[in-house]
Each structure stands twice: as structure tokens, then as C-alpha cells.
Amino acid sequence: MSGFGTTDITERDILSYVALGDSFTEGMSDPYPDSDSVPNGRFRGWADRVAEHLACRIDEVRYANLAVRGKLIRQIRDEQVAEAVAMAPDLVTLCAGGNDILRPGGDPDEVVGIFESIVAELTATGARVVIFTGFDTGMHSVMRHLRGKIATYNMHMRAVADRYGCDVVDVWSMRIFDDERSWSWDRLHLSPEGHRRLALRVCEVLGTPAEGNWNEPWPEPEPRGWRTARQEDLYWAREFLVPWIGRRLTGRSSGDNVRPKRPTLQRCEPQYRTD
């Protein structure tokens, strides 16, 4: 069980927080203001934003982010978990398995078995562990067929959370992500606004006060013609879908030769706006 229980984490003077996962947690498509380029610039993302929110409430937040884009769940287990355990964190966020489920033949039952082994190791340290359900892909035409697999995985994950006393961020039920403005141009990673809203939702689950409302209704979208929409589809297929298929066929990953952006616990300062 979690060492925190229902304790308000903002009552602590010092908090250590480690984020584990893949591109979702690395913060893809949410560059920092000082990033020079994408994808090689520094990404912010919801996890950095959560650390910044916590730093507004706690005297000292020590934060590490070991997530790397493209990682499968076995790689997360083998490359990130032992390092996280060695840091003896108070708080861990874990999102893993999405890349496995997206791939043909990805078996939710097999993936969740590995996921549970990770959760067991993390919770044994006494850390408070937060996990995430998968997104509802019903609004994404090219991924709509994955809804059943994702829903199955989500149910397994909830059972794991119950067994080990984890907090759950139910991303599936967050209908704000039905709006395409939540997503970046690649239609797979969150936009900066999507990351901002998710960070607020994570803070809500943690019981941490944060300025803003993650569920605020979107403003009316600007009209977009049929021709513009088709041009965007063609651009997406050329710039994202074709390279993605190429990597699958050649056994390459977007995370090859990419190192974690915050491999050790470092003091986090609320230097950027979190709202």
C-alpha cells in the first residue's frame, strides 16, 4: 500500500518525485519556451507541470523524469524502475504499455502482467504511486479499432491499482480530449494545452491545489473547410504515419539514442507559468 495514504502531500517540507514512462510522460509536443528545435529541444509536458505546481506549495521539490519516447513496457521495467527505486521517491507517476497496445498483436493480458510487476516493486518502497488509464481513441479514426484492447487494459490496470493502493488518473473519461485541440499535429501526443489540462487533473487526484480548471469547456472552434482538412490529413500521413510505419518495419524506435531529460533528482523551481 502507498506510504502516503490520504495525507496531503503539500504538508511536506521536502518531496521527491520520479516520473516513469514513454513519450506521454517525457512531454512530447510541449516544448519549453527555451527549446531551440523539435524533436531535439527540451520538452515540458504534464509531469514537469505537475512538479512545478507542487513546487508552488512545497518548500523543496526534487524531481526526476526517466521517461523516453517510444519505450515498450519491458524497456520501462528494465531501464527505469531500478533507477527510480534507488532514488527512494515519495511520489511516482507511471504510465506504461501504450506503445505495446498500439502495435499489432499487443496483448493486454500479457502487458498488464509486466505492469503489475512494476507496480509491486514501486509500491514496496512506500512511495505513493499514480497510474493512468489509456485514452479513449473513439474520436481518432485511424485508432478507433483499438478501443476494445485499450478498454480491456484499463480494467486490468484498475484491478492492479486496487490491489496495490495506487491512485488512478482516469484519462479515458476526460471528454475534453475528444477535442482535436488537445492533440498535437501528429494526432498521437498531447498539445501544450492538452498537457496543461492533464497536469491540472493529476493535481486534482493528488489533492494538490492548482490554479485552473482542467474541464473548462473549449471555445467554439474556428470554421475549417473540407479542402483544408484534407490537406492536413495528407500532411499528417506524410510527416507522421509513413515514418511511423517505416520504423515498425525496420525495428527502429523514436527513442533510439535518446536519454532521459532529468535522469537524477534535481530541485524543481516554479520558473514557468503552470496555468
Side-chain angles (χ1 to χ4, degrees), residues 71-79 100 110 114 118:
K71 293 299 182 182
L72 301 173
I73 194 165
R74 285 186 176 84
Q75 295 172 309
I76 293 171
R77 177 195 63 193
D78 297 342
E79 300 171 11
D100 301 80
E110 179 181 353
I114 302 170
I118 295 173

Side-chain angles (χ1 to χ4, degrees), residues 152-174:
T152 298
Y153 189 48
N154 286 348
M155 293 303 294
H156 282 316
M157 290 173 65
R158 284 189 169 278
V160 171
D162 287 343
R163 284 195 289 273
Y164 292 90
C166 301
D167 295 293
V168 179
V169 179
D170 185 9
V171 180
W172 178 282
S173 68
M174 294 176 68

Side-chain angles (χ1 to χ4, degrees), residues 90-257:
D90 303 305
L91 173 67
V92 177
T93 55
L94 170 66
C95 185
N99 288 323
D100 301 80
I101 299 300
L102 285 175
R103 295 189 176 207
D107 182 354
D109 297 328
E110 179 181 353
V111 175
V112 83
I114 302 170
F115 184 87
E116 180 165 6
S117 71
I118 295 173
V119 169
E121 191 167 352
L122 294 173
T123 54
T125 68
R128 181 173 181 176
V129 177
V130 181
I131 68 172
F132 298 74
T133 67
F135 289 91
D136 183 353
T137 58
M139 57 87 65
H140 295 281
S141 59
V142 296
M143 292 192 290
R144 191 173 296 133
H145 66 286
L146 295 171
R147 290 186 82 201
K149 287 172 63 175
I150 297 171
T152 298
Y153 189 48
N154 286 348
M155 293 303 294
H156 282 316
M157 290 173 65
R158 284 189 169 278
V160 171
D162 287 343
R163 284 195 289 273
Y164 292 90
C166 301
D167 295 293
V168 179
V169 179
D170 185 9
V171 180
W172 178 282
S173 68
M174 294 176 68
R175 300 272 56 95
I176 60 161
F177 292 130
D178 291 345
D179 192 292
E180 63 182 19
R181 287 169 288 185
S182 294
W183 301 93
S184 71
W185 68 271
D186 66 12
R187 306 180 185 180
L188 183 64
H189 299 105
L190 292 175
S191 66
E193 177 63 11
H195 279 287
R196 184 189 75 86
R197 289 177 181 246
L198 182 58
L200 291 173
R201 177 69 178 117
V202 175
C203 287
E204 183 177 80
V205 169
L206 290 173
T208 300
E211 188 72 24
N213 175 16
W214 65 265
N215 202 27
E216 181 181 359
W218 290 92
E220 286 296 318
E222 295 182 4
R224 184 176 56 174
W226 180 89
R227 183 181 297 276
T228 299
R230 298 295 74 75
Q231 288 174 339
E232 291 176 355
D233 289 342
L234 289 172
Y235 178 80
W236 171 80
R238 183 180 69 248
E239 300 295 327
F240 174 76
L241 182 60
V242 172
W244 185 85
I245 293 173
R247 289 195 299 271
R248 298 290 78 74
L249 293 176
T250 58
R252 293 178 292 119
S253 168
S254 59
D256 291 343
N257 302 315

